[in-house]
């Protein structure tokens, strides 16, 4: 009997040692993102993450931004301190192992918004002739990204396209293909994933076609709420707030809020952070997460984490893997620390109850915009892929994160070495939030404070502890009976 009890204890130990703290999936409810467990509203506090830039994406190297656990650990630690809850990654290889990176970001409460396309030939829609690239091989590519990331609870959503419509000529041919890609991705997810994962679009800030693009993608064909070709969310790459002299009242963000005021899907900035008037002070953060914008917009992603030739970076990454924070990091952290997290988590019952408009040509008010809602049919073999899934796909899963301390040298913007930099795993169900920390002033060798859970996050943690306690109690009873 004692040997049997020992076996049960060993099995229990194995179960607990394999536990990974998991965030709660985010779902779309009306025009809001909400936490699937608590029902809290979820505002994206994020950054674009593509070290090396788009030109640095080369599958022949066997690497992409989420394939090296040591690099992700370094960056996740700095993002956690900054207060981020979301990253956007543009170019990924569906055949690589992303388990450690995804698990590290999951541990610190950071979600992932992922583009399914890449700049390589045949891996994105051709905006001039989209019918030439809407092929079976293209579907295999984008379904491969779904397979690789559907198993991670911190996969927030997929971008089916990024600025595919960027001028009037492309707006005359591309729109039906965007809805076709939405349809195909969502049908594939419905057939081959254990949970619904939102699919949306990231738009260029070209004002003549911005509203028509949003109207075209958010409406429901035949008024059907379950129309799979409808976008689940709408991102906007906007760089129109430039300089520290701008205010909400004098910016055109006020115009954008009015324009999207009747949205029936979440709208957010999929890129923002103008750099034409340096240094960037990020004063727009207070407007974006303030009372005038949060009822309409769902946050945004600052462009970008690593400094590239365009000079938007929050950090400089050196060839040896060491990192130095830039003044932009400090300025952004200072702005995040002023945010009212309780306001950002409060649910808007009106926003969550809205219904989509029926798709009609008159809804899209631009004469050259393609308002055809008869969508392209699937390429030959496409329906079989959706029904049966890809053959032997690379499927990601959470793994145990055993290393928490950053090994690379990291310096503050002042040049001081930040010692003891490490990720701080959060209680299960909790996402990351700004915590009032000033990383730029962290003395060498001083540990940083742990992120503070929200009240509902703490409640979720308590439920997890109680559940674990019940497991231990049940096991104790089992062992007692065996003895």
């Amino acid at each position: 009997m004692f040997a049997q009890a020992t076996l049960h204890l060993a099995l229990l130990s194995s179960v607990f040692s394999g536990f990974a703290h998991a965030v709660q999936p985010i779902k779309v409810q009306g025009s809001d993102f909400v936490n699937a467990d608590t029902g809290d509203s979820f505002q994206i506090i994020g950054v674009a993450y593509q070290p090396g830039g788009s030109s640095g994406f080369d599958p022949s190297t066997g690497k992409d931004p989420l394939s090296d656990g040591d690099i992700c650990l370094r960056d996740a630690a700095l993002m956690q301190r900054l207060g981020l809850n979301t990253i956007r990654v543009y170019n990924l290889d569906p055949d690589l192992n992303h388990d450690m990176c995804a698990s590290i970001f999951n541990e610190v409460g950071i979600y992932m918004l992922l583009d399914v396309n890449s700049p390589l030939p045949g891996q994105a829609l051709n905006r001039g002739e989209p019918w030439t690239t809407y092929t079976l091989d293209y579907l295999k590519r984008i379904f491969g990204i779904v397979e690789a990331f559907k198993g991670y609870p911190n996969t927030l959503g997929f971008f089916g396209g990024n600025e595919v419509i960027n001028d009037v000529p492309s707006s005359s041919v591309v729109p039906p293909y965007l809805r076709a890609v939405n349809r195909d991705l969502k049908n594939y997810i419905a057939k081959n994933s254990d949970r619904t994962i939102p699919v949306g679009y990231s738009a260029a800030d070209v004002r003549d076609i911005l509203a028509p693009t949003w109207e075209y993608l958010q409406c429901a064909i035949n008024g059907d709420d379950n129309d799979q070709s409808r976008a689940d969310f709408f991102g906007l790459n906007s760089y129109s707030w430039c300089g520290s002299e701008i205010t909400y009242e004098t910016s055109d963000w006020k115009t954008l809020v009015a324009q999207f005021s009747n949205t029936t899907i979440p709208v957010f900035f999929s890129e923002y952070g103008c750099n034409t008037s340096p240094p960037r002070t990020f004063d727009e953060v207070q407007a974006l997460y303030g009372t005038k914008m949060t009822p309409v917009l769902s946050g945004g992603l600052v462009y970008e984490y690593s400094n590239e030739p365009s000079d938007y970076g929050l950090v400089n990454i050196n060839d040896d893997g060491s990192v130095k924070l830039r003044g932009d990091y400090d300025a952004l952290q200072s702005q995040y620390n002023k945010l009212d997290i309780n306001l950002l988590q409060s649910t808007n019952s009106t926003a969550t109850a809205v219904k989509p408009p029926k798709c009609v040509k008159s809804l899209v008010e631009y004469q050259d915009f393609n308002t055809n809602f008869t969508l392209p049919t699937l390429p030959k073999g496409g329906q079989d892929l959706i029904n049966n899934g890809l053959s032997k796909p690379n499927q990601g899963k959470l793994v145990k994160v055993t290393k928490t301390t950053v090994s690379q040298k990291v310096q503050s913007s002042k040049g001081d070495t930040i010692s003891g930099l490490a990720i701080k795993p959060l209680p299960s169900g909790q996402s990351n939030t700004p915590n009032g920390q000033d990383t730029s002033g962290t003395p060498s060798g001083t540990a940083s404070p742990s992120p503070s859970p929200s009240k509902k996050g703490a409640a979720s943690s308590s439920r997890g502890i109680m559940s674990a306690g019940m497991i231990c109690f049940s096991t104790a009873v089992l062992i007692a009976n065996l003895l």
Side-chain angles (χ1 to χ4, degrees):
M1 286 292 188
F2 181 77
Q4 192 173 358
T6 302
L7 175 60
H8 279 279
L9 280 174
L11 289 172
L12 179 66
S13 174
S14 174
V15 169
F16 274 111
S17 68
F19 274 0
H21 298 286
V23 298
Q24 288 295 332
I26 299 299
K27 66 179 182 179
V28 171
Q29 194 170 326
S31 62
D32 270 3
F33 290 116
V34 299
N35 183 298
D37 180 47
T38 66
D40 287 346
S41 177
F42 181 82
Q43 286 275 327
I44 293 171
I45 305 174
V47 69
Y49 183 58
Q50 190 77 31
S54 295
S55 61
F57 176 65
D58 182 1
S60 67
T61 64
K63 296 180 180 180
D64 71 16
L66 297 178
S67 63
D68 189 320
D70 286 339
I71 291 176
C72 289
L73 180 67
R74 175 198 68 195
D75 296 340
L78 289 171
M79 292 179 190
Q80 186 178 28
R81 285 177 168 225
L82 183 57
L84 303 178
N85 64 20
T86 308
I87 56 173
R88 177 186 180 179
V89 188
Y90 297 82
N91 304 317
L92 292 158
D93 185 339
D95 296 324
L96 296 181
N97 188 319
H98 305 100
D99 290 350
M100 184 52 69
C101 281
S103 299
I104 287 169
F105 284 113
N106 171 78
E107 285 277 314
V108 298
I110 293 178
Y111 292 87
M112 304 179 295
L113 274 168
L114 309 168
D115 288 66
V116 299
N117 301 286
S118 94
L120 299 181
Q123 296 189 4
L125 291 178
N126 180 324
R127 62 171 56 94
E129 299 177 323
W131 53 89
T132 64
T133 46
Y134 180 61
T135 64
L136 188 64
D137 284 341
Y138 173 69
L139 292 183
K140 289 179 180 178
R141 153 73 196 186
I142 65 176
F143 294 165
I145 295 292
V146 171
E147 289 287 358
F149 288 92
K150 70 182 185 181
Y152 307 127
N154 57 329
T155 296
L156 195 163
F158 297 108
F159 285 110
N162 178 61
E163 298 190 356
V164 189
I165 301 173
N166 67 349
D167 54 21
V168 173
S170 57
S171 76
S172 67
V173 292
V174 168
Y177 287 89
L178 291 182
R179 288 196 72 122
V181 170
N182 288 344
R183 173 199 66 198
D184 301 343
L185 284 168
K186 291 167 73 172
N187 282 333
Y188 189 89
I189 290 167
K191 285 277 190 178
N192 299 282
S193 175
D194 292 335
R195 69 178 177 97
T196 299
I197 304 173
V199 174
Y201 178 69
S202 177
D205 191 2
V206 180
R207 293 304 166 94
D208 285 346
I209 55 175
L210 177 61
T213 303
W214 161 66
E215 292 282 19
Y216 181 87
L217 292 175
Q218 76 149 346
C219 67
I221 296 175
N222 298 323
D224 181 4
D225 290 5
N226 297 315
D227 174 12
Q228 292 290 71
S229 71
R230 180 175 179 256
D232 292 319
F233 57 81
F234 187 83
L236 168 61
N237 300 334
S238 177
Y239 296 88
S240 59
W241 185 308
C242 297
S244 58
E245 303 301 318
I246 304 296
T247 67
Y248 174 75
E249 296 299 329
T250 60
S251 75
D252 69 350
W253 283 19
K254 184 178 180 180
T255 303
L256 289 174
V257 168
Q259 177 176 301
F260 293 119
S261 61
N262 64 339
T263 186
T264 59
I265 56 176
V267 176
F268 59 94
F269 289 129
S270 41
E271 293 173 9
Y272 77 97
C274 175
N275 69 349
T276 59
S277 302
R280 293 198 289 181
T281 57
F282 292 106
D283 296 322
E284 66 265 40
V285 164
Q286 300 309 310
L288 178 58
Y289 299 102
T291 56
K292 293 179 180 178
M293 294 191 72
T294 53
V296 177
L297 269 68
S298 296
L301 299 128
V302 168
Y303 194 81
E304 62 183 319
Y305 178 72
S306 60
N307 200 40
E308 308 299 339
S310 54
D311 200 34
Y312 282 91
L314 302 180
V315 307
N316 287 320
I317 300 177
N318 302 312
D319 291 341
D320 63 358
S322 63
V323 168
K324 184 176 181 180
L325 308 187
R326 306 182 79 209
D328 286 23
Y329 181 104
D330 301 338
L332 184 59
Q333 185 176 52
S334 176
Q335 295 290 351
Y336 282 159
N337 286 342
K338 301 174 187 177
L339 299 182
D340 182 349
I341 301 302
N342 290 328
L343 169 67
L344 301 185
Q345 293 177 338
S346 59
T347 303
N348 183 342
S349 58
T350 302
T352 57
V354 293
K355 298 294 183 182
K358 181 178 179 180
C359 292
V360 291
K361 290 186 177 182
S362 60
L363 190 66
V364 181
E365 298 178 353
Y366 195 76
Q367 61 181 7
D368 295 319
F369 197 94
N370 189 322
T371 55
N372 183 2
F373 292 102
T374 301
L375 307 184
T377 57
L378 276 163
K380 185 178 180 180
Q383 193 59 53
D384 287 339
L385 284 182
I386 291 173
N387 292 340
N388 304 314
L390 293 176
S391 176
K392 298 179 180 179
N394 173 38
Q395 296 178 330
K397 63 182 184 303
L398 289 184
V399 296
K400 186 177 181 181
V401 177
T402 56
K403 181 181 178 182
T404 59
T405 302
V406 174
S407 59
Q408 300 93 334
K409 181 180 179 180
V410 178
Q411 293 179 297
S412 72
S413 60
K414 299 174 183 176
D416 300 323
T417 296
I418 301 176
S419 299
L421 181 64
I423 62 167
K424 300 185 181 299
L426 301 183
S428 186
Q430 184 185 328
S431 59
N432 194 43
T433 58
N435 56 32
Q437 184 178 348
D438 178 7
T439 299
S440 64
T442 302
S444 178
T446 301
S448 59
S450 298
S452 303
S454 65
K455 291 181 179 179
K456 289 190 176 181
S460 297
S461 175
S462 298
R463 287 196 295 272
I465 293 170
M466 289 175 66
S467 297
M470 289 301 294
I471 294 173
C472 291
F473 175 77
S474 299
T475 305
V477 171
L478 171 64
I479 294 171
N481 288 335
L482 288 171
L483 295 174

